[in-house]
Amino acid sequence: MTRGIGVVVDGSHLPEWLIALAGVVTQLGDLWFVLAIATVVVLMGTRQNRVTRTPIEDSAFLLALGLGAYALTVILKAAFALPRPPGATSAVIPVWVPPPTAGFYESLVTASGFGFPSGHALKSTAVYGGAALLFGDVARRRIRILAATTIVGLIGCSRIILGVHYTVDVLVGTVCGVLFLWAMWTTTRRSPRRALGVTAGLGVVATIVTLDSNAVLIVGGAAIALVAWRYWRSHHGTHG
């Protein structure tokens, strides 16, 4: 099954170093990395204001984008229920990988669950695209957008190289990420309270539709972040 325009890369014909590299690059689209970005924004912004002049607000908005994109992915994958390419759940362990780390290596280069659309493409588009729009103190807007596009492109290519997605999965995931970012940007006006509220709502829908424990964590994470934001705002007199 190729979803019409899907393409699957046969990893057995690719160099082992390329597969390993793709496994590392693909981590840039994982939720844990998104959370790390939000943390870095807070730390760098509050100390030196080199990233953004409103680090708390912007990191909260990025967090909402990451968690919301994850919840949206869960909903869409459950709605379409389309499988991943054959072999997506298994990998050939290179001889140079130490046996104790074989399990870790396999976790980097494989994936399970439904495959359409690509959650990595959706999340990375929303988060890195949002960062490009928010971080006005880093570089010119054109450079920021180019950098975000490059990162998203690399992540998308890594998913195809690893054979865990069809090409159309990545393309649709990217489009969904753009639409999600646009919707969050225009409807919440970068307000952490509104953005986290939307994210919590998506998490509730994802939980009802799929009974996914991770969706429950999204709701809890958004709720905790919202409480933390309101507490911080009450002590610093900001709005949003």
Side-chain angles (χ1 to χ4, degrees), residues 118-201:
S118 167
H120 278 67
L122 201 162
K123 288 196 301 291
S124 62
T125 300
V127 173
Y128 291 110
L133 297 175
L134 289 170
F135 299 165
D137 294 339
V138 175
R140 294 181 180 179
R141 183 185 181 94
R142 182 178 302 178
I143 296 177
R144 299 197 308 271
I145 293 178
L146 177 60
T149 302
T150 301
I151 294 174
V152 172
L154 289 173
I155 294 172
C157 288
S158 74
R159 304 304 284 171
I160 298 173
I161 290 174
L162 293 174
V164 297
H165 279 298
Y166 294 102
T167 301
V168 69
D169 300 348
V170 174
L171 294 177
V172 173
T174 302
V175 172
C176 289
V178 171
L179 293 176
F180 178 68
L181 173 58
W182 173 80
M184 289 286 276
W185 190 273
T186 56
T187 59
T188 69
R189 298 180 180 180
R190 294 172 53 186
S191 164
R193 177 178 59 84
R194 296 172 184 170
L196 290 169
V198 171
T199 293

Side-chain angles (χ1 to χ4, degrees), residues 12-132:
S12 63
H13 294 86
L14 296 176
E16 293 178 343
W17 66 264
L18 181 59
I19 299 296
L21 179 61
V24 174
V25 171
T26 204
Q27 300 306 306
L28 298 177
D30 270 10
L31 185 59
W32 74 266
F33 198 84
V34 170
L35 299 179
I37 291 176
T39 303
V40 170
V41 171
V42 172
L43 295 177
M44 293 184 64
T46 52
R47 292 180 180 180
Q48 299 177 346
N49 288 333
R50 290 184 177 180
V51 178
T52 171
R53 298 179 183 178
T54 54
I56 303 299
E57 293 88 340
D58 291 345
S59 61
F61 187 74
L62 282 180
L63 178 63
L65 286 176
L67 295 178
Y70 182 90
L72 179 60
T73 299
V74 171
I75 295 170
L76 292 176
K77 286 190 175 185
F80 289 102
L82 294 175
R84 294 182 184 273
T89 59
S90 60
V92 176
I93 309 299
V95 295
W96 47 264
V97 173
T101 63
F104 174 72
Y105 174 85
E106 187 174 17
S107 69
L108 294 180
V109 301
T110 60
S112 59
F114 295 129
F116 181 88
S118 167
H120 278 67
L122 201 162
K123 288 196 301 291
S124 62
T125 300
V127 173
Y128 291 110

